[in-house]
Amino acid sequence: MNAFQFSAGKLPLLLSIPHAGTALTPEVEAGLSEEAKCLPDTDWHIPQLYEFAREMDASVLIGNYSRFVIDLNRPPDNQALYTTATTGLYPETLFDGTPTFKPGMTPTAAQRAGYLQNIWQPYHDQIRQELARIRQQFGYALLFDAHSIASHVPRLFDGQLPDLNLGTNDGASCSPAITDQLSAVCDAQSRFSWIMNGRFKGGYITRAYGKPAENLHAVQLELAQCNYMDEQQPFAWRADKAPQLQEMLRQLVETLLKQGKKLSPI
């Protein structure tokens, strides 16, 4: 299987969706613990939730493999992104702390090196290539990294997660004007709770490719899944909830595009 799906658009925006994949390598599939077999930490339905962005003609990149094979939003050297509990490049535990693999059934170091070369690297090569193409065409490029997570994960955070968790690496991954305008959009509504640079400040993708001094602006959005899906198996899409969230997401994406254009150097 290819490492990713990609469609090039005509806007100065790349939508990255690294954690919606469910494909497994044979050794990962054979080794998963009973708790991990249903792939509970997947960013379920995110491509469907952001289908409007494809219709707007944004470029869209979607990882095909499960994060249990390799996490596309972690650095290749597996250095921790947070000082609090987290998961690594090759997740050994689920978000709740349960082992990902049965004892003695984790992939070998050689197999994981292959995942890095054949799955992780192509995804990131595509990000770099598309951002370079967009910047060459428009003078700047915007990256929106789309994620979701269960609204309650006691091991990772206390209480219920805000509905919208925006991350800009504490302001380092994009222009302050983008941070301000996205915050203003969130502040102007009351349906969804939100926070900027709270528990989720942006993972490796946001931190690696957000370089505002080079006219590359990156934002991560971590969504609480209770707003568009059932958080228990079979993790069903909620048609009664999702449209309201999609409208909010559209406003955020349109604001990012509008503000990015104002920052254009050409």
Side-chain angles (χ1 to χ4, degrees):
M1 177 178 289
N2 292 333
F4 58 80
Q5 306 166 50
F6 174 70
S7 60
K10 297 180 181 179
L11 296 177
L13 172 65
L14 172 60
L15 175 67
S16 164
I17 305 176
H19 290 155
T22 57
L24 302 170
T25 62
E27 53 273 11
V28 169
E29 184 172 17
L32 287 179
S33 65
E34 288 301 316
E35 294 83 359
K37 286 181 178 179
C38 65
L39 309 182
D41 297 340
T42 301
D43 289 6
W44 299 106
H45 309 296
I46 289 293
Q48 181 179 355
L49 195 64
Y50 283 91
E51 182 59 29
F52 69 86
R54 190 191 302 272
E55 294 169 355
M56 291 169 65
D57 221 355
S59 296
V60 180
L61 177 63
I62 306 170
N64 283 334
Y65 279 88
S66 169
R67 69 191 306 161
F68 295 160
V69 176
I70 190 168
D71 192 325
L72 299 173
N73 201 29
R74 298 293 183 270
D77 61 4
N78 203 18
Q79 290 296 306
L81 296 174
Y82 295 96
T83 57
T84 52
T86 186
T87 55
L89 182 66
Y90 307 107
E92 298 290 348
T93 64
L94 308 183
F95 287 159
D96 65 4
T98 303
T100 306
F101 294 95
K102 292 177 283 192
M105 294 290 285
T106 57
T108 66
Q111 288 166 338
R112 285 178 164 172
Y115 306 159
L116 184 65
Q117 179 179 349
N118 299 316
I119 300 173
W120 189 98
Q121 193 64 56
Y123 190 90
H124 287 268
D125 287 345
Q126 187 64 49
I127 291 179
R128 282 189 290 272
Q129 291 168 16
E130 184 61 7
L131 290 178
R133 183 196 69 80
I134 291 173
R135 185 173 59 176
Q136 182 177 27
Q137 179 178 351
F138 294 94
Y140 68 101
L142 306 171
L143 173 63
F144 192 101
D145 204 41
H147 298 262
S148 72
I149 192 170
S151 58
H152 288 88
V153 185
R155 178 172 170 266
L156 300 185
F157 50 83
D158 295 330
Q160 181 166 330
L161 193 69
D163 299 323
L164 309 171
N165 300 266
L166 289 150
T168 63
N169 193 22
D170 285 328
S173 69
C174 68
S175 162
I178 289 176
T179 300
D180 291 346
Q181 289 303 308
L182 293 177
S183 297
V185 170
C186 292
D187 205 34
Q189 56 82 47
S190 57
R191 179 183 292 272
F192 301 104
S193 59
W194 68 281
I195 192 169
M196 179 70 71
N197 291 312
R199 171 60 179 83
F200 298 97
K201 301 178 186 294
Y204 176 75
I205 291 171
T206 305
R207 302 183 197 200
Y209 302 109
K211 300 175 182 178
E214 301 176 25
N215 300 311
L216 298 171
H217 304 277
V219 176
Q220 176 179 297
L221 179 56
E222 190 88 44
L223 298 171
Q225 292 177 336
C226 60
N227 291 289
Y228 73 93
M229 58 171 275
D230 290 334
E231 295 186 338
Q232 304 299 321
Q233 283 185 267
F235 308 115
W237 172 267
R238 291 288 300 272
D240 58 326
K241 290 186 173 185
Q244 291 86 356
L245 180 57
Q246 286 175 307
E247 178 56 34
M248 184 68 204
L249 297 177
R250 180 185 290 273
Q251 290 183 44
L252 290 171
V253 170
E254 289 176 345
T255 298
L256 177 60
L257 286 164
K258 182 178 180 179
Q259 191 59 48
K261 188 174 183 179
K262 290 181 180 180
L263 297 168
S264 173
I266 59 175

